[in-house]
Amino acid sequence: MTIGSVLHAGSGAVQSAIATAARATGVDFSYLLGQAKLESGLNAGARAGTSSASGLYQFIEQSWLAVVKKHGAEHGLGWAANAIQPGANGRLTVGDAGTRQAILSLRNDAGTASLMAASYASDNKAALEGSLGRAATGTDLYMAHFLGLGGAHKFLSTMASNPGATAAALFPAAAAANHNVFYAHDGSARSLSDIYQHFAGKLGAAVEGAVAPIGNAVSTALADGSEVVSGGGQSAHDAVAWASSTLGQLKTAAGSATNLLRPTPDTARLAYMMLASMGG
């Protein structure tokens, strides 16, 4: 029995795809994992009932065409990037209906969706850090995903000077479409700081819930006493002993979303070690 076989039986294939995308783009694994958990529950085939959103990261059609047009060629999708062209109205189009459907269907491929989501996050990270003059956190990146890059800059820069500002007043359209985000259960309007912490907490909980099963799966994989060696030459028994300790530290840190969304080298090492046997 191998670690990979156990993990692939569940959501391991998806987590492996996310880890590969994180390595390829330099975007934090924990952020990409948390975003996928929130967007689709790690279900690569997820489809929205109220929009064109589909896949692991719930890209709508135009957003997907845009990111594939920009980043497809660098990830082996030159055929798709070349087929996407701007129309007279500014919307991206694909001349051949079959090719268009093939490109949109890639949203449901965990590997492609993860690479495109990571590339999009990398673009946002660079832009936010340039405009804000500080390192971007996972929550900052999620704000860019939620409000768009311009909206995220407005949100974050305003929050820096006035964290108590009413978010719905600044983003009325987003508030109308996302009432449960911008307003509390009692109907009171949430502040910028409230919403930021809301998303930080949700991302932190998603990462905690997604990473813990990896440790459980590894323990099960080694229950027969087999010795699996990771890509770094470390025995799986040593890895599991180390991972058990680190997972405990993750759970202790669960109350601090910032710690989970800005992982330490040990946290990143845990994620990649547990996924190393899956061919990453």
Side-chain angles (χ1 to χ4, degrees), residues 111-125:
T112 304
S114 296
L115 282 169
M116 293 300 104
S119 296
Y120 178 69
S122 180
D123 289 345
N124 287 339
K125 181 176 186 294

Side-chain angles (χ1 to χ4, degrees), residues 147 151 154-159 162-175 182-183 190-192:
L147 293 172
K154 179 180 179 180
F155 184 104
L156 295 169
S157 58
T158 304
M159 186 178 72
N162 187 12
T166 301
L170 287 174
F171 301 96
F182 285 82
Y183 296 92
R190 287 182 167 137
S191 68
L192 296 175

Side-chain angles (χ1 to χ4, degrees), residues 4-73:
S5 66
V6 174
L7 292 179
H8 277 290
S11 62
V14 170
Q15 295 190 17
S16 177
I18 295 171
T20 298
R23 286 196 298 272
T25 61
V27 176
D28 284 346
F29 169 83
S30 58
Y31 167 70
L32 293 172
L33 180 64
Q35 184 190 2
K37 184 72 180 294
L38 288 180
E39 293 295 318
S40 67
L42 299 182
N43 176 10
R47 297 179 185 276
T50 57
S51 73
S52 65
S54 183
L56 196 61
Y57 290 92
Q58 292 292 285
F59 278 97
I60 61 173
E61 291 182 358
Q62 281 294 302
S63 294
W64 180 253
L65 294 176
V67 73
V68 172
K69 178 66 176 175
K70 183 174 183 179
H71 292 288

Side-chain angles (χ1 to χ4, degrees), residues 208 211-216 219 240-253 270 274:
E208 172 74 3
V211 171
I214 298 178
N216 295 337
S219 297
V240 169
W242 176 88
S244 296
S245 171
T246 303
L247 282 169
Q249 294 172 24
L250 276 176
K251 292 177 180 178
T252 299
L270 167 66
M274 296 300 98

Side-chain angles (χ1 to χ4, degrees), residues 66-222:
V67 73
V68 172
K69 178 66 176 175
K70 183 174 183 179
H71 292 288
E74 68 198 66
H75 297 297
L77 295 172
W79 63 271
N82 292 336
I84 301 168
Q85 299 296 329
N89 59 359
R91 290 176 62 83
L92 294 171
T93 64
V94 180
D96 179 73
T99 302
R100 182 178 188 276
Q101 185 55 48
I103 295 172
L104 292 176
S105 294
L106 290 173
R107 291 178 294 173
N108 300 112
D109 175 75
T112 304
S114 296
L115 282 169
M116 293 300 104
S119 296
Y120 178 69
S122 180
D123 289 345
N124 287 339
K125 181 176 186 294
L128 285 175
E129 290 180 345
S131 63
L132 297 174
R134 62 170 176 78
T137 69
T139 311
D140 296 338
L141 295 181
Y142 196 81
M143 295 310 304
H145 169 76
F146 179 61
L147 293 172
L149 184 58
H153 174 74
K154 179 180 179 180
F155 184 104
L156 295 169
S157 58
T158 304
M159 186 178 72
S161 59
N162 187 12
T166 301
L170 287 174
F171 301 96
N178 301 275
H179 190 275
N180 63 325
V181 172
F182 285 82
Y183 296 92
H185 293 303
D186 62 4
S188 59
R190 287 182 167 137
S191 68
L192 296 175
S193 179
D194 289 337
I195 291 177
Y196 189 85
Q197 292 305 318
H198 168 76
F199 280 127
K202 289 178 73 68
L203 279 170
V207 172
E208 172 74 3
V211 171
I214 298 178
N216 295 337
V218 172
S219 297
T220 303
L222 298 174

